[in-house]
């Protein structure tokens, strides 16, 4: 039996199964990257809901694990050297889980770094830009009369979608035939752009048929369907 009592976060979210990876998250585009990866790899995990409605992410217990107070974060009780590993930042967690399992990240150096390149494309571009567009189109920013902020992020979102669409032409996945963490990181953001932010018409999503093609295949995967609902909101 693993002992996770040294981690203050377990005081607020007790581990019923301390021998499993502990996931602290919310089914947002960033959060589901990790739950999808966990489902795809088959690693046993226990999901804990970090509710933004009650500002769980700002509590001392959560900040003790992630001082940047963002989801997702994990504790792997069987980390390197058999010791528990706390980890935050979704991209870092994806790389760690890929290396832990030997799945979804190529071992060939060229393919590996190319996959990481596209992971960084999501982390540095797709996530921040799509998220800002969502804020100004769907959430509080929609009440701002000056539409220049929204239009700035709209233009950048369309540009990024164009980059991705061009790259996906003739490819099954971002890395060609191989499904990788780059897909798990990027495609939930496209889904949220359409379903959560309700911005499909705004961005002209039909202008990006390759993105839509790959998104459809992605969403049909059983592990993706399971991961999109972890942890459950209710």
């Amino acid at each position: 039996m693993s002992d996770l009592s040294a981690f203050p976060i377990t005081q607020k979210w007790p581990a019923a199964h301390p021998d499993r990876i502990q996931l602290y998250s919310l089914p947002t585009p960033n959060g589901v990257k990790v739950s999808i990866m966990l489902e795809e790899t088959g690693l046993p995990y226990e999901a804990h809901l970090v509710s933004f409605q009650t500002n769980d992410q700002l509590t001392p217990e959560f900040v003790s694990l992630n001082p940047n107070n963002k989801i997702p974060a994990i504790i792997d009780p069987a980390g390197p050297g058999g010791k528990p590993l706390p980890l935050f930042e979704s991209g870092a967690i994806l790389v760690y889980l890929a290396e832990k399992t030997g799945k979804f990240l190529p071992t060939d150096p060229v393919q590996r770094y190319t996959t990481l390149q596209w992971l960084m494309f999501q982390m540095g571009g797709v996530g921040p830009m799509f998220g800002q567009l969502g804020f100004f189109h769907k959430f509080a920013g929609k009440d701002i009369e000056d539409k220049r902020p929204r239009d700035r992020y709209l233009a950048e979102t369309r540009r990024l979608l164009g980059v991705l669409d061009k790259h996906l032409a003739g490819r099954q996945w971002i890395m060609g035939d191989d499904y990788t963490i780059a897909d798990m990181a990027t495609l939930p953001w496209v889904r949220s752009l359409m379903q959560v932010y309700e911005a499909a018409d705004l961005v002209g999503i039909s202008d990006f048929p390759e993105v839509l093609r790959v998104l459809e295949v992605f969403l049909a995967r059983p592990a993706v369907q399971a991961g999109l609902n972890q942890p459950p909101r209710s």
Side-chain angles (χ1 to χ4, degrees), residues 185-204:
T186 305
L187 293 168
W189 277 100
V190 180
R191 171 184 175 269
S192 285
L193 183 68
M194 299 167 60
Q195 296 186 14
V196 179
Y197 302 153
E198 300 174 354
D201 291 339
L202 180 67
V203 302

Side-chain angles (χ1 to χ4, degrees), residues 35-232:
S35 54
I36 289 171
M37 178 63 167
L38 288 165
E39 292 286 342
E40 292 280 12
T41 60
L43 285 168
Y45 72 100
E46 182 177 354
H48 305 276
L49 182 68
V50 180
S51 174
F52 290 174
Q53 292 184 332
T54 52
N55 289 322
D56 284 350
Q57 76 278 16
L58 301 178
T59 61
E61 293 88 351
F62 186 80
V63 173
S64 72
L65 183 59
N66 183 359
N68 195 35
N69 59 268
K70 303 291 184 183
I71 58 96
I74 68 168
I75 300 173
D76 182 1
K83 298 179 179 179
L85 174 70
L87 202 60
F88 64 88
E89 282 296 333
S90 59
I93 296 170
L94 287 177
V95 173
Y96 169 70
L97 294 175
E99 293 183 339
K100 178 182 178 72
T101 59
K103 297 179 179 180
F104 306 116
L105 180 61
T107 56
D108 172 77
V110 173
Q111 293 295 98
R112 171 186 167 82
Y113 284 113
T114 304
T115 304
L116 293 176
Q117 164 188 271
W118 284 101
L119 176 63
M120 296 307 134
F121 171 79
Q122 184 280 307
M123 299 292 294
V126 167
M129 296 301 105
F130 287 20
Q132 292 289 352
L133 178 60
F135 173 79
F136 282 102
H137 175 63
K138 173 73 181 295
F139 300 114
K142 70 180 185 297
D143 297 323
I144 298 175
E145 292 185 8
D146 185 349
K147 296 307 177 187
R148 285 177 294 180
R150 186 206 67 177
D151 290 347
R152 170 183 172 85
Y153 293 114
L154 171 59
E156 184 63 4
T157 294
R158 281 187 53 84
R159 188 189 72 79
L160 292 167
L161 286 168
V163 171
L164 187 60
D165 198 72
K166 182 177 180 180
H167 175 74
L168 287 172
R171 292 182 170 90
Q172 183 176 0
W173 300 104
I174 289 175
M175 288 301 297
D177 292 337
D178 295 329
Y179 174 64
T180 70
I181 57 174
D183 302 293
M184 295 181 217
T186 305
L187 293 168
W189 277 100
V190 180
R191 171 184 175 269
S192 285
L193 183 68
M194 299 167 60
Q195 296 186 14
V196 179
Y197 302 153
E198 300 174 354
D201 291 339
L202 180 67
V203 302
I205 197 67
S206 61
D207 294 339
F208 310 101
E210 300 296 333
V211 173
L212 291 175
R213 171 183 59 82
V214 177
L215 176 64
E216 182 179 7
V217 177
F218 175 73
L219 293 177
R221 295 178 68 91
V224 171
Q225 294 175 18
L228 286 172
N229 296 302
Q230 289 295 331

